[in-house]
Coordinates of all heavy atoms in Angstrom, one line a residue:
R1 N -8.6 13.1 -38.0 CA -7.6 12.1 -37.6 C -7.4 12.3 -36.1 O -7.3 13.5 -35.6 CB -6.3 12.3 -38.3 CG -6.4 11.9 -39.8 CD -5.1 11.9 -40.4 NE -4.4 10.6 -40.1 CZ -4.1 9.7 -41.0 NH1 -4.5 9.8 -42.2 NH2 -3.5 8.6 -40.7
Y2 N -7.2 11.2 -35.4 CA -6.8 11.3 -34.0 C -6.1 10.0 -33.7 O -6.1 9.0 -34.4 CB -8.1 11.5 -33.1 CG -9.1 10.4 -33.2 CD1 -9.0 9.3 -32.4 CD2 -10.1 10.4 -34.2 CE1 -9.9 8.2 -32.5 CE2 -11.0 9.4 -34.3 CZ -10.9 8.3 -33.4 OH -11.8 7.3 -33.5
T3 N -5.4 10.0 -32.5 CA -4.7 8.9 -32.0 C -5.3 8.6 -30.6 O -5.4 9.5 -29.8 CB -3.2 9.2 -31.9 OG1 -2.7 9.5 -33.2 CG2 -2.5 8.0 -31.3
L4 N -5.7 7.4 -30.4 CA -6.2 6.9 -29.1 C -5.2 6.2 -28.4 O -4.6 5.2 -28.9 CB -7.5 6.0 -29.3 CG -8.1 5.5 -28.1 CD1 -8.6 6.6 -27.2 CD2 -9.2 4.5 -28.5
E5 N -4.8 6.6 -27.2 CA -3.9 5.9 -26.3 C -4.6 5.4 -25.1 O -5.4 6.1 -24.5 CB -2.8 6.9 -25.9 CG -1.9 7.3 -27.0 CD -0.7 8.2 -26.5 OE1 -0.3 8.0 -25.4 OE2 -0.3 9.1 -27.3
V6 N -4.3 4.1 -24.8 CA -4.9 3.5 -23.7 C -3.8 3.1 -22.7 O -2.8 2.5 -23.1 CB -5.7 2.2 -24.1 CG1 -6.3 1.5 -22.9 CG2 -6.8 2.6 -25.1
S7 N -4.0 3.3 -21.4 CA -3.0 3.0 -20.5 C -3.7 2.3 -19.3 O -4.9 2.5 -19.1 CB -2.2 4.2 -20.1 OG -3.0 5.1 -19.4
S8 N -2.9 1.7 -18.4 CA -3.4 1.1 -17.2 C -2.6 1.7 -16.0 O -1.5 2.3 -16.3 CB -3.3 -0.4 -17.2 OG -1.9 -0.8 -17.2
P9 N -3.0 1.5 -14.8 CA -2.3 2.1 -13.7 C -0.9 1.4 -13.5 O 0.0 2.0 -12.9 CB -3.2 1.7 -12.5 CG -4.5 1.4 -13.0 CD -4.3 1.0 -14.4
G10 N -0.7 0.3 -14.1 CA 0.6 -0.4 -14.0 C 0.8 -1.2 -12.8 O 0.1 -1.2 -11.8
L11 N 1.9 -2.0 -12.9 CA 2.2 -2.9 -11.8 C 2.7 -2.1 -10.5 O 2.6 -2.6 -9.4 CB 3.3 -3.9 -12.2 CG 2.9 -4.9 -13.3 CD1 4.1 -5.7 -13.7 CD2 1.8 -5.8 -12.7
D12 N 3.3 -1.0 -10.7 CA 3.9 -0.2 -9.6 C 2.9 0.8 -9.1 O 3.4 1.7 -8.3 CB 5.2 0.4 -10.0 CG 5.1 1.4 -11.2 OD1 4.0 1.4 -11.8 OD2 6.1 2.1 -11.4
R13 N 1.7 0.7 -9.3 CA 0.7 1.6 -8.8 C 0.6 1.5 -7.3 O 0.6 0.4 -6.7 CB -0.7 1.2 -9.4 CG -1.8 2.0 -8.9 CD -3.1 1.6 -9.5 NE -4.2 1.7 -8.5 CZ -5.2 1.0 -8.4 NH1 -5.5 0.1 -9.4 NH2 -6.1 1.2 -7.5
P14 N 0.7 2.7 -6.6 CA 0.6 2.6 -5.1 C -0.7 2.1 -4.6 O -1.7 2.3 -5.1 CB 0.8 4.1 -4.7 CG 1.0 4.9 -6.0 CD 0.7 4.0 -7.1
L15 N -0.6 1.4 -3.4 CA -1.7 0.9 -2.7 C -2.0 2.0 -1.6 O -1.1 2.3 -0.8 CB -1.4 -0.4 -2.1 CG -0.9 -1.5 -2.9 CD1 -0.5 -2.7 -2.1 CD2 -1.8 -1.9 -4.1
T16 N -3.2 2.6 -1.6 CA -3.5 3.6 -0.7 C -4.7 3.4 0.2 O -4.9 4.0 1.2 CB -3.6 5.0 -1.4 OG1 -4.6 4.9 -2.4 CG2 -2.3 5.4 -2.0
T17 N -5.6 2.5 -0.3 CA -6.9 2.3 0.4 C -7.0 0.9 0.9 O -6.3 0.0 0.3 CB -8.1 2.6 -0.6 OG1 -8.1 1.6 -1.6 CG2 -8.0 4.0 -1.1
P18 N -7.8 0.6 1.8 CA -8.0 -0.8 2.3 C -8.4 -1.7 1.1 O -7.9 -2.9 1.1 CB -9.1 -0.7 3.3 CG -9.0 0.7 3.9 CD -8.6 1.5 2.7
A19 N -9.2 -1.2 0.2 CA -9.6 -2.1 -0.9 C -8.4 -2.5 -1.8 O -8.3 -3.6 -2.3 CB -10.6 -1.4 -1.8
D20 N -7.4 -1.5 -2.0 CA -6.2 -1.8 -2.7 C -5.4 -2.9 -2.0 O -4.9 -3.9 -2.6 CB -5.3 -0.6 -2.8 CG -5.9 0.5 -3.6 OD1 -6.7 0.3 -4.5 OD2 -5.4 1.7 -3.5
F21 N -5.3 -2.9 -0.7 CA -4.6 -3.9 0.1 C -5.3 -5.2 0.0 O -4.6 -6.2 -0.1 CB -4.4 -3.4 1.5 CG -3.3 -2.4 1.7 CD1 -3.6 -1.0 1.5 CD2 -2.0 -2.7 2.1 CE1 -2.6 -0.1 1.7 CE2 -1.0 -1.8 2.2 CZ -1.3 -0.4 2.0
R22 N -6.6 -5.2 0.1 CA -7.4 -6.5 0.0 C -7.1 -7.2 -1.3 O -7.0 -8.4 -1.3 CB -8.8 -6.2 0.2 CG -9.2 -6.0 1.7 CD -10.7 -5.9 1.9 NE -11.0 -5.5 3.3 CZ -11.2 -4.3 3.7 NH1 -11.3 -3.3 2.8 NH2 -11.5 -4.0 4.9
R23 N -7.1 -6.4 -2.4 CA -6.8 -7.0 -3.7 C -5.4 -7.7 -3.8 O -5.2 -8.6 -4.5 CB -6.9 -6.0 -4.8 CG -8.3 -5.7 -5.2 CD -8.4 -4.9 -6.5 NE -7.6 -3.7 -6.5 CZ -8.0 -2.5 -6.1 NH1 -9.3 -2.4 -5.6 NH2 -7.3 -1.4 -6.1
K24 N -4.5 -7.2 -3.0 CA -3.1 -7.7 -3.1 C -2.7 -8.6 -1.9 O -1.5 -8.8 -1.6 CB -2.1 -6.5 -3.2 CG -2.4 -5.7 -4.4 CD -2.1 -6.4 -5.7 CE -2.3 -5.6 -6.9 NZ -1.9 -6.3 -8.1
M25 N -3.7 -9.1 -1.1 CA -3.5 -10.0 0.0 C -2.5 -11.1 -0.4 O -2.6 -11.7 -1.5 CB -4.7 -10.6 0.5 CG -5.6 -9.7 1.3 SD -5.2 -9.5 3.0 CE -5.5 -11.2 3.6
G26 N -1.5 -11.4 0.5 CA -0.6 -12.5 0.2 C 0.6 -12.0 -0.6 O 1.5 -12.8 -0.8
E27 N 0.6 -10.8 -1.1 CA 1.8 -10.4 -1.9 C 2.7 -9.5 -1.1 O 2.4 -8.9 -0.1 CB 1.3 -9.5 -3.1 CG 0.4 -10.4 -4.0 CD 0.2 -9.7 -5.4 OE1 1.1 -9.0 -5.9 OE2 -0.9 -9.8 -5.9
S28 N 4.0 -9.5 -1.5 CA 5.0 -8.7 -0.8 C 4.9 -7.3 -1.2 O 4.8 -7.0 -2.4 CB 6.4 -9.3 -1.1 OG 6.6 -10.6 -0.7
V29 N 5.1 -6.4 -0.2 CA 5.0 -5.0 -0.4 C 6.1 -4.2 0.3 O 6.6 -4.7 1.3 CB 3.6 -4.4 0.0 CG1 2.5 -5.0 -0.8 CG2 3.3 -4.6 1.5
T30 N 6.3 -3.0 -0.1 CA 7.1 -2.0 0.6 C 6.1 -1.0 1.1 O 5.4 -0.4 0.3 CB 8.1 -1.4 -0.3 OG1 9.0 -2.4 -0.8 CG2 8.9 -0.3 0.4
L31 N 6.1 -0.8 2.4 CA 5.1 0.1 3.1 C 5.8 1.3 3.6 O 6.8 1.2 4.3 CB 4.4 -0.7 4.2 CG 3.4 0.1 5.0 CD1 2.1 0.2 4.2 CD2 3.1 -0.5 6.4
K32 N 5.3 2.5 3.3 CA 5.7 3.7 3.8 C 4.7 4.1 4.9 O 3.5 4.2 4.6 CB 5.9 4.8 2.8 CG 7.0 4.5 1.8 CD 7.1 5.6 0.7 CE 8.2 5.2 -0.3 NZ 8.3 6.2 -1.3
F33 N 5.2 4.5 6.1 CA 4.3 4.8 7.2 C 5.0 5.9 8.1 O 6.2 6.1 8.0 CB 3.9 3.6 8.0 CG 5.0 3.0 8.7 CD1 5.2 3.2 10.1 CD2 5.9 2.1 8.1 CE1 6.3 2.6 10.7 CE2 7.0 1.5 8.7 CZ 7.1 1.8 10.1
K34 N 4.1 6.5 9.0 CA 4.7 7.4 10.0 C 4.8 6.7 11.3 O 3.8 6.0 11.7 CB 3.7 8.6 10.1 CG 3.7 9.5 8.9 CD 2.8 10.7 9.2 CE 1.4 10.3 8.6 NZ 0.4 11.3 8.7
D35 N 5.9 6.8 12.0 CA 6.1 6.2 13.3 C 5.4 7.0 14.4 O 4.7 8.0 14.1 CB 7.5 5.9 13.6 CG 8.4 7.1 13.8 OD1 7.8 8.3 13.8 OD2 9.6 7.0 13.9
D36 N 5.6 6.7 15.6 CA 5.0 7.4 16.8 C 5.4 8.9 16.8 O 4.7 9.7 17.3 CB 5.3 6.7 18.1 CG 4.6 5.3 18.2 OD1 3.6 5.1 17.5 OD2 5.2 4.5 18.9
E37 N 6.6 9.2 16.3 CA 7.1 10.5 16.4 C 6.8 11.3 15.1 O 7.2 12.5 14.9 CB 8.6 10.5 16.6 CG 9.0 9.9 17.9 CD 10.5 9.6 18.0 OE1 11.2 10.0 17.1 OE2 10.9 9.2 19.1
G38 N 6.1 10.7 14.2 CA 5.7 11.3 12.9 C 6.8 11.2 11.8 O 6.6 11.8 10.8
K39 N 7.8 10.5 12.1 CA 8.9 10.3 11.1 C 8.5 9.3 10.1 O 7.8 8.3 10.4 CB 10.2 9.9 11.7 CG 10.8 10.9 12.7 CD 12.0 10.5 13.3 CE 12.6 11.5 14.2 NZ 13.8 11.0 14.9
R40 N 8.9 9.5 8.8 CA 8.6 8.5 7.8 C 9.5 7.3 7.9 O 10.7 7.4 8.0 CB 8.8 9.1 6.4 CG 7.7 10.2 6.1 CD 8.0 10.8 4.8 NE 7.8 9.9 3.7 CZ 7.0 10.0 2.7 NH1 6.3 11.1 2.5 NH2 6.9 9.1 1.7
K41 N 8.9 6.1 7.8 CA 9.6 4.9 7.9 C 9.2 4.0 6.8 O 8.2 4.2 6.2 CB 9.4 4.2 9.2 CG 9.7 4.9 10.5 CD 11.2 4.9 10.7 CE 11.5 5.6 12.0 NZ 12.9 5.3 12.5
T42 N 10.0 2.9 6.5 CA 9.7 1.9 5.5 C 9.7 0.5 6.1 O 10.6 0.3 6.9 CB 10.7 2.1 4.3 OG1 10.6 3.4 3.8 CG2 10.3 1.1 3.2
A43 N 8.8 -0.3 5.7 CA 8.8 -1.7 6.1 C 8.5 -2.5 4.9 O 7.9 -2.1 3.9 CB 7.7 -1.9 7.2
K44 N 9.0 -3.8 4.9 CA 8.8 -4.7 3.8 C 8.2 -6.0 4.4 O 8.6 -6.4 5.5 CB 10.1 -5.0 3.1 CG 10.6 -3.9 2.3 CD 11.8 -4.3 1.5 CE 12.4 -3.1 0.7 NZ 13.5 -3.4 -0.1
G45 N 7.3 -6.6 3.7 CA 6.7 -7.8 4.1 C 5.5 -8.2 3.3 O 5.1 -7.5 2.3
V46 N 4.8 -9.3 3.7 CA 3.7 -9.8 3.0 C 2.4 -9.3 3.7 O 2.3 -9.2 4.9 CB 3.7 -11.3 3.0 CG1 2.4 -11.9 2.4 CG2 4.9 -11.9 2.3
I47 N 1.4 -8.9 2.9 CA 0.1 -8.4 3.4 C -0.6 -9.6 4.0 O -1.0 -10.5 3.2 CB -0.7 -7.7 2.3 CG1 0.0 -6.6 1.7 CG2 -2.1 -7.3 3.0 CD1 -0.8 -5.9 0.5
A48 N -0.7 -9.7 5.3 CA -1.2 -10.9 6.0 C -2.7 -10.7 6.3 O -3.5 -11.7 6.3 CB -0.5 -11.2 7.2
K49 N -3.1 -9.5 6.7 CA -4.5 -9.2 7.1 C -4.9 -7.8 6.8 O -4.0 -6.9 7.0 CB -4.6 -9.5 8.6 CG -6.0 -9.7 9.1 CD -6.0 -10.0 10.6 CE -4.8 -10.7 11.2 NZ -4.9 -10.9 12.6
V50 N -6.1 -7.5 6.5 CA -6.6 -6.2 6.3 C -7.9 -6.0 7.1 O -8.8 -6.8 6.9 CB -6.9 -5.9 4.8 CG1 -7.4 -4.5 4.6 CG2 -5.6 -6.1 3.9
K51 N -7.9 -5.1 8.0 CA -9.1 -4.9 8.9 C -9.5 -3.4 8.6 O -8.9 -2.7 7.9 CB -8.8 -5.0 10.3 CG -8.4 -6.5 10.7 CD -8.2 -6.5 12.2 CE -7.9 -7.9 12.7 NZ -7.7 -7.9 14.2
D52 N -10.7 -3.1 9.2 CA -11.2 -1.7 9.1 C -10.2 -0.7 9.6 O -10.2 0.5 9.1 CB -12.5 -1.6 9.8 CG -13.6 -2.4 9.0 OD1 -13.5 -2.6 7.8 OD2 -14.6 -2.7 9.7
D53 N -9.5 -1.0 10.7 CA -8.6 0.0 11.3 C -7.1 -0.3 11.2 O -6.3 0.6 11.4 CB -9.0 0.1 12.8 CG -8.9 -1.3 13.5 OD1 -8.8 -2.3 12.9 OD2 -8.8 -1.3 14.8
T54 N -6.7 -1.4 10.7 CA -5.3 -1.8 10.5 C -5.1 -2.6 9.3 O -6.0 -3.3 8.8 CB -4.8 -2.5 11.8 OG1 -5.5 -3.7 11.9 CG2 -4.8 -1.7 13.0
V55 N -3.8 -2.6 8.9 CA -3.3 -3.6 7.9 C -2.1 -4.3 8.6 O -1.3 -3.7 9.3 CB -2.9 -2.9 6.6 CG1 -1.8 -1.9 6.8 CG2 -2.5 -4.0 5.6
T56 N -2.0 -5.6 8.4 CA -0.9 -6.4 9.0 C 0.0 -6.7 7.8 O -0.3 -7.4 6.9 CB -1.4 -7.7 9.6 OG1 -2.4 -7.3 10.6 CG2 -0.3 -8.4 10.3
I57 N 1.3 -6.3 8.0 CA 2.4 -6.6 7.1 C 3.3 -7.5 7.9 O 3.9 -7.1 8.9 CB 3.1 -5.3 6.6 CG1 2.1 -4.3 6.0 CG2 4.2 -5.7 5.6 CD1 1.4 -4.8 4.7
G58 N 3.5 -8.7 7.4 CA 4.2 -9.7 8.2 C 3.5 -10.0 9.4 O 2.4 -10.5 9.4
T59 N 4.1 -9.6 10.6 CA 3.4 -9.8 11.9 C 3.1 -8.5 12.6 O 2.7 -8.5 13.7 CB 4.3 -10.7 12.8 OG1 5.6 -10.1 13.0 CG2 4.5 -12.1 12.2
T60 N 3.3 -7.4 11.9 CA 3.2 -6.1 12.5 C 1.9 -5.4 12.0 O 1.7 -5.4 10.8 CB 4.4 -5.2 12.2 OG1 5.6 -5.9 12.6 CG2 4.3 -3.9 12.9
D61 N 1.1 -4.9 12.9 CA -0.1 -4.1 12.5 C 0.2 -2.6 12.4 O 1.0 -2.1 13.2 CB -1.2 -4.3 13.6 CG -1.7 -5.7 13.7 OD1 -1.7 -6.4 12.7 OD2 -2.2 -6.0 14.8
Y62 N -0.3 -2.0 11.3 CA -0.2 -0.6 11.0 C -1.5 0.0 11.0 O -2.4 -0.5 10.2 CB 0.6 -0.4 9.7 CG 2.0 -1.0 9.7 CD1 2.2 -2.2 9.3 CD2 3.1 -0.2 10.2 CE1 3.5 -2.8 9.3 CE2 4.4 -0.7 10.2 CZ 4.6 -2.0 9.8 OH 5.8 -2.5 9.8
E63 N -1.7 1.1 11.7 CA -3.0 1.8 11.7 C -3.1 2.6 10.4 O -2.1 3.1 9.9 CB -3.1 2.7 12.9 CG -3.1 2.0 14.2 CD -3.1 3.0 15.4 OE1 -3.2 4.2 15.2 OE2 -3.0 2.5 16.5
W64 N -4.3 2.6 9.8 CA -4.5 3.3 8.5 C -4.1 4.8 8.5 O -3.6 5.3 7.5 CB -6.0 3.2 8.1 CG -6.3 1.8 7.6 CD1 -7.3 1.0 8.2 CD2 -5.8 1.1 6.5 NE1 -7.3 -0.2 7.5 CE2 -6.4 -0.2 6.5 CE3 -4.8 1.4 5.6 CZ2 -6.1 -1.1 5.5 CZ3 -4.5 0.4 4.6 CH2 -5.1 -0.8 4.6
D65 N -4.3 5.5 9.7 CA -3.9 6.9 9.7 C -2.4 7.1 9.7 O -2.0 8.2 9.4 CB -4.6 7.6 10.9 CG -4.1 7.1 12.2 OD1 -3.6 5.9 12.3 OD2 -4.3 7.8 13.2
R66 N -1.6 6.0 9.8 CA -0.2 6.1 9.8 C 0.4 5.7 8.4 O 1.5 6.0 8.1 CB 0.5 5.3 10.9 CG 0.2 5.9 12.3 CD 0.8 5.0 13.3 NE 0.4 5.5 14.6 CZ 1.3 6.1 15.4 NH1 2.5 6.3 15.1 NH2 0.9 6.5 16.6
V67 N -0.4 5.0 7.7 CA 0.0 4.4 6.4 C 0.0 5.6 5.3 O -0.9 6.3 5.2 CB -0.9 3.3 5.9 CG1 -0.5 2.9 4.5 CG2 -0.8 2.1 6.8
I68 N 1.2 5.7 4.7 CA 1.3 6.7 3.6 C 1.0 6.1 2.3 O 0.1 6.5 1.5 CB 2.7 7.3 3.6 CG1 3.0 8.0 4.9 CG2 2.9 8.3 2.4 CD1 4.4 8.5 5.2
E69 N 1.7 5.0 1.9 CA 1.4 4.2 0.7 C 2.2 2.9 0.8 O 3.1 2.8 1.6 CB 1.7 5.0 -0.5 CG 3.2 5.1 -0.8 CD 3.5 5.7 -2.2 OE1 2.7 6.5 -2.7 OE2 4.6 5.5 -2.7
A70 N 1.9 2.1 -0.1 CA 2.6 0.8 -0.3 C 2.7 0.5 -1.8 O 1.9 0.9 -2.6 CB 2.0 -0.3 0.4
K71 N 3.7 -0.3 -2.1 CA 3.9 -0.7 -3.5 C 4.2 -2.2 -3.5 O 5.0 -2.7 -2.6 CB 4.9 0.0 -4.3 CG 4.5 1.5 -4.6 CD 5.5 2.1 -5.5 CE 5.1 3.5 -5.8 NZ 5.9 4.2 -6.8
V72 N 3.6 -2.9 -4.4 CA 3.9 -4.4 -4.5 C 5.4 -4.5 -5.0 O 5.8 -3.8 -5.9 CB 3.0 -5.0 -5.5 CG1 3.3 -6.5 -5.8 CG2 1.5 -4.9 -5.0
I73 N 6.1 -5.4 -4.4 CA 7.5 -5.7 -4.8 C 7.4 -6.7 -5.9 O 6.8 -7.8 -5.8 CB 8.3 -6.4 -3.6 CG1 8.3 -5.4 -2.4 CG2 9.6 -6.8 -4.1 CD1 8.9 -6.0 -1.2
I74 N 8.0 -6.3 -7.0 CA 7.9 -7.1 -8.3 C 9.2 -7.9 -8.4 O 10.3 -7.5 -8.2 CB 7.8 -6.2 -9.5 CG1 6.5 -5.4 -9.4 CG2 7.8 -7.0 -10.8 CD1 6.3 -4.3 -10.4

């Protein structure tokens, strides 16, 4: 006897890679990032553009090396 459990990453799965952000283009997110001084900050907005070196949330560009994670706002 055994029990098989199946799960999914869920709606609140963090977005961490450019591919994750591309899949969620046009959706509202909460973005955690490091500012110029290395302090953790949070921004909210819609994923407007995803490039090789940046992601645009609202009208602000964030470099990938500063992005910590993002989550879709449900």
Side-chain angles (χ1 to χ4, degrees):
R1 292 188 81 107
Y2 61 90
T3 302
L4 176 64
E5 291 184 31
V6 179
S7 65
S8 69
L11 293 174
D12 60 346
R13 178 180 143 205
L15 309 176
T16 55
T17 67
D20 292 339
F21 283 85
R22 283 187 186 97
R23 278 194 305 274
K24 299 296 183 177
M25 284 276 295
E27 295 194 38
S28 296
V29 296
T30 299
L31 179 78
K32 294 181 183 177
F33 66 98
K34 291 181 268 181
D35 68 5
D36 293 337
E37 298 170 359
K39 295 180 182 175
R40 290 177 66 123
K41 299 281 183 167
T42 302
K44 291 183 181 182
V46 174
I47 302 172
K49 195 181 330 178
V50 180
K51 294 184 179 179
D52 291 337
D53 56 345
T54 61
V55 60
T56 305
I57 307 295
T59 58
T60 307
D61 294 332
Y62 298 92
E63 296 174 7
W64 287 117
D65 61 343
R66 294 178 184 253
V67 174
I68 298 169
E69 74 172 26
K71 289 191 178 182
V72 175
I73 298 173
I74 301 171

